[in-house]
Amino acid sequence: MCLSCIESIEAGIEPINPCLCGAPATQAAMQRIEADISRRRMLGGMSAVVGMFAGFGLAPNDLRAQTPGRATVLTNLRYFDGSTPEMQTGRDILVEAGRIVAMPASGTGPEDADIIDCGGRAVTPGLIDCHWHATLVGISQVAALTQDIGWVHLMAGREAGATLMRGFTTVRDTGGPVFGLKMAVDQGAVTGPRIFPSGAMLSQTSGHGDFRMTTALPKAAGEPLDYTERAGVAAIADGRAEVLRRTREQLMRGASQIKIMAGGGVASPYDPLDTAQYTLDEMRAAVEAAADWGTYVCAHVYTPTGIMRCLEAGVRSIEHGQLADEATIKAMAEADAWWSIQPFLADEDANQYSDPRSRAKQQQVAQGTIRAFESGRAEGVNMAFGTDVLFNPTGAATQGRQLGKLTRFMSTFDALRMATGDAGRLLEMSGERSPYPGRLGIIAEGALADILVWDGDPASDLDFLADPETNLRLVMKGGRVFKETL
């Protein structure tokens, strides 16, 4: 408002506003000016952040952004499109403005484009991990519960860069304080994958997301939140009203889907695997609140009882589920639900536990893993790949190798599709809550340009995924090249 307007108001006089300071056109102009100031401040702040992060190895290492106004053509390649079970040839991939805009016949792309010669190598869509914990993967559980939260987030930023360099250009984060990391990655301050955030995991008291010590019980009304709740790792909610509140809080913060704990877990010492967690009414509260925002609920659960309750409540994605029986697997197929499943085999790549109770539960889950993969595929359940590496600083590096293990249960192309085209279909359930408009996990016209170039032959095996440092020759995310050793 101009000075004359202010003086008139202070004098008790209805102002005649010749300056039109309240007019829509004026307000729009002011908003543009404020946006420009904010942008300049953000860029300055980002420069400072990037400088600070450089000491931790977090500064972006974008090797080749597209030349403004010019397209990029990937040529001389064999490609898996994320769906068709074969390697295809005879096409180039034309990328512009972060998307694949065409798949012209080899050698027929625009002459003025930037050319990337793939040397006859294999090209795949960027990989997708549908069960990842970006903030909790690269540190121990003790560190997560005791260290300064700033340090925790810096370690998460470092791991995000490593995740992208393994070829995982997108992750669905299924629980943890990841909103800040996602923002830093999206703004280019930190290198990392696209992140579909769930926010805090919703858990009942005594559930898989209740990290409190028994010495903290009982909790009286009005007492402060536990550290993990304050940090945004978990949200303890009992009863319909509290579940609605906590669900809406995560949506307010930007969750693309909601994660609930619907049964016992391996890592947690107080909840046996056979326990059912959350009543049907509580689950429905989360499902209804998510549906009001056009998105869905995914649920940590292993047992038939828990899975059936989830399906009845309208949960759309079952996380883990290795103890499902035949009737439950059929019910998942009939409900057209997704099964976000991991190769939990209690092998050298498994999460490590010192508690004998956790090790016993881990063995029980491993025994059900083989049957789960075989029966799920036989019944035609929608299945997507995830790893759920958790509190395991060395285990994160096994991400690609764990994808390769799926060839124990299926063909190489079916395994690769679980981490590309099929995983992209699961992500589409976020609808308008998706942070990244556009198709993921496929190489096709109109899809987001997340593209990998490999030394290896997906038609024969996926062993090359285990050593991305050597075998992954190019990483492109959104049309930007973050690694190239062609």
Side-chain angles (χ1 to χ4, degrees), residues 257-469:
Q257 65 283 322
I258 297 298
K259 167 75 173 296
I260 67 171
M261 301 304 200
V266 173
S268 45
Y270 305 122
D271 56 325
L273 280 177
D274 62 289
T275 58
Q277 299 175 14
Y278 274 137
T279 65
L280 182 60
D281 186 52
E282 289 172 319
M283 285 188 189
R284 281 177 172 161
V287 169
E288 291 165 6
D292 284 345
W293 282 55
T295 187
Y296 68 99
V297 170
C298 62
H300 162 104
V301 62
Y302 284 101
T303 66
T305 298
I307 295 171
M308 294 299 285
R309 186 179 296 179
C310 287
L311 296 177
E312 185 177 356
V315 170
R316 301 294 297 132
S317 178
I318 301 300
E319 309 299 310
H320 314 314
Q322 277 85 350
L323 302 183
D325 57 19
E326 296 299 326
T328 305
I329 294 172
K330 289 180 183 291
M332 280 193 276
E334 291 171 358
D336 198 30
W338 279 89
W339 196 349
S340 170
I341 188 168
Q342 305 75 36
F344 287 160
L345 298 170
D347 56 12
E348 68 279 0
D349 294 329
N351 295 323
Q352 300 300 307
Y353 303 108
S354 58
D355 190 324
R357 292 171 296 180
S358 291
R359 291 200 299 270
K361 290 189 285 187
Q362 187 179 51
Q363 288 294 331
Q364 185 180 352
V365 169
Q367 291 168 10
T369 295
I370 296 174
R371 183 184 69 251
F373 272 105
E374 293 175 348
S375 298
R377 284 175 50 75
E379 293 295 337
V381 180
N382 300 315
M383 302 180 80
F385 169 75
T387 55
D388 193 30
V389 181
L390 186 64
F391 302 133
N392 191 344
T394 59
T398 69
Q399 205 171 10
R401 185 162 69 222
Q402 297 205 46
L403 174 56
K405 291 178 184 180
L406 298 191
T407 57
R408 176 175 175 177
F409 313 108
M410 63 193 76
S411 72
T412 55
F413 289 118
D414 285 346
L416 203 53
R417 187 172 60 210
M418 279 186 63
T420 53
D422 288 349
R425 289 171 52 216
L426 169 55
L427 298 179
E428 288 175 1
M429 290 203 304
S430 291
E432 293 299 316
R433 301 288 77 75
S434 171
Y436 311 101
R439 298 187 66 188
L440 291 164
I442 60 170
I443 293 177
E445 185 174 332
L448 295 173
D450 295 358
I451 300 170
L452 310 175
V453 179
W454 299 90
D455 279 336
D457 183 8
S460 59
D461 63 65
L462 298 182
D463 294 346
F464 59 89
L465 298 175
D467 187 7
E469 184 174 353

Side-chain angles (χ1 to χ4, degrees), residues 198-216:
S198 299
M201 304 170 273
L202 271 62
S203 171
Q204 68 174 45
T205 294
S206 78
H208 187 54
D210 189 344
F211 294 93
R212 296 174 297 171
M213 302 295 289
T214 55
T215 53

Side-chain angles (χ1 to χ4, degrees), residues 119-317:
R121 295 179 176 87
V123 172
T124 71
L127 302 177
I128 302 170
D129 191 325
C130 287
H131 195 113
W132 190 246
H133 297 278
T135 309
L136 307 175
V137 59
I139 56 177
S140 70
Q141 185 169 0
V142 172
L145 298 177
T146 61
Q147 295 298 315
D148 183 89
I149 193 64
W151 176 85
V152 170
H153 287 304
L154 284 170
M155 294 303 100
R158 182 177 67 176
E159 186 56 48
T163 302
L164 183 62
M165 291 302 103
R166 290 191 289 269
F168 286 86
T169 55
T170 302
V171 298
R172 185 178 63 148
D173 191 281
T174 49
V178 76
F179 296 112
L181 175 62
K182 176 191 174 299
M183 184 182 299
V185 170
D186 291 347
Q187 292 179 352
V190 174
T191 298
R194 304 177 190 273
I195 299 175
F196 281 69
S198 299
M201 304 170 273
L202 271 62
S203 171
Q204 68 174 45
T205 294
S206 78
H208 187 54
D210 189 344
F211 294 93
R212 296 174 297 171
M213 302 295 289
T214 55
T215 53
L217 305 178
K219 180 181 178 181
E223 285 188 354
L225 296 175
D226 175 71
Y227 170 75
T228 56
E229 294 182 271
R230 298 196 307 272
V233 175
I236 300 174
D238 295 301
R240 166 173 276 270
E242 275 301 302
V243 171
L244 284 173
R245 181 196 303 273
R246 300 307 179 201
T247 299
R248 289 165 176 167
E249 286 175 349
Q250 305 319 306
L251 293 167
M252 181 178 178
R253 299 196 69 182
S256 52
Q257 65 283 322
I258 297 298
K259 167 75 173 296
I260 67 171
M261 301 304 200
V266 173
S268 45
Y270 305 122
D271 56 325
L273 280 177
D274 62 289
T275 58
Q277 299 175 14
Y278 274 137
T279 65
L280 182 60
D281 186 52
E282 289 172 319
M283 285 188 189
R284 281 177 172 161
V287 169
E288 291 165 6
D292 284 345
W293 282 55
T295 187
Y296 68 99
V297 170
C298 62
H300 162 104
V301 62
Y302 284 101
T303 66
T305 298
I307 295 171
M308 294 299 285
R309 186 179 296 179
C310 287
L311 296 177
E312 185 177 356
V315 170
R316 301 294 297 132
S317 178

